[in-house]
């Protein structure tokens, strides 16, 4: 009976070993490959997200620089327009004063 029990234990271990080898080949291998592939996909997605974030930050910086340049250009255009307006105002005032002086002179000559 003891010998028979030892033989059964040996066969149980052999059966378990065969089951383990088959499971490793047909179950654990594909599952491990699938998990590795999924981990690689996640890693690639994170890398792509980091690249897109860096591109977005570069574009934001470029847009901010363009906006600052446009604001400076707009301020310069406004300042130039004010200066031209002031020059035109001064010219018109000078012409008006000249016209007033001429009218005063004509008026003085008529008296």
């Amino acid at each position: 009976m003891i010998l028979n029990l030892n033989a059964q234990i040996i066969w149980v271990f052999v059966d378990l070993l065969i089951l383990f080898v088959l499971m490793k080949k047909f179950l654990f291998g594909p599952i491990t490959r699938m998990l590795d592939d999924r981990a690689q996909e996640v890693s690639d997605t994170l890398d792509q997200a980091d690249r897109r974030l860096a591109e977005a930050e570069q574009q934001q910086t470029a847009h901010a620089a363009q906006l600052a340049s446009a604001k400076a250009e707009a301020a310069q255009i406004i300042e130039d327009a004010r200066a031209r307006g002031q020059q035109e105002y001064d010219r018109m005032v000078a012409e008006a004063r000249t016209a007033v002086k001429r009218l005063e002179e004509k008026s003085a000559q008529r008296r």
Side-chain angles (χ1 to χ4, degrees):
M1 177 113 162
I2 293 177
L3 184 59
N4 191 19
L5 185 62
N6 287 339
Q8 283 181 343
I9 291 175
I10 291 173
W11 282 113
V12 168
F13 281 126
V14 170
D15 288 342
L16 286 174
L17 182 63
I18 291 171
L19 181 63
F20 178 74
V21 169
L22 290 174
M23 286 178 65
K24 182 175 182 187
K25 180 174 174 105
F26 295 110
L27 181 66
F28 297 141
I31 288 176
T32 303
R33 278 193 301 276
M34 181 184 67
L35 290 175
D36 289 343
D37 291 344
R38 182 65 183 141
Q40 184 63 39
E41 288 176 16
V42 169
S43 176
D44 292 344
T45 302
L46 289 174
D47 290 343
Q48 185 179 16
D50 288 340
R51 283 193 304 272
R52 286 185 179 178
L53 180 62
E55 288 175 9
E57 288 174 350
Q58 285 178 339
Q59 288 178 354
Q60 183 181 15
T61 303
H63 289 301
Q66 286 177 343
L67 181 62
S69 174
K71 284 183 179 181
E73 185 178 347
Q76 184 63 41
I77 289 171
I78 290 171
E79 186 59 36
D80 291 346
R82 283 185 182 152
R84 284 194 309 268
Q86 186 64 41
Q87 288 174 351
E88 184 67 21
Y89 173 78
D90 292 343
R91 184 187 64 78
M92 291 176 83
V93 168
E95 285 178 5
R97 286 184 180 155
T98 304
V100 168
K101 284 182 184 178
R102 274 187 276 157
L103 287 174
E104 286 176 350
E105 288 175 359
K106 283 184 183 179
S107 170
Q109 287 176 358
R110 286 186 185 171
R111 286 186 192 178

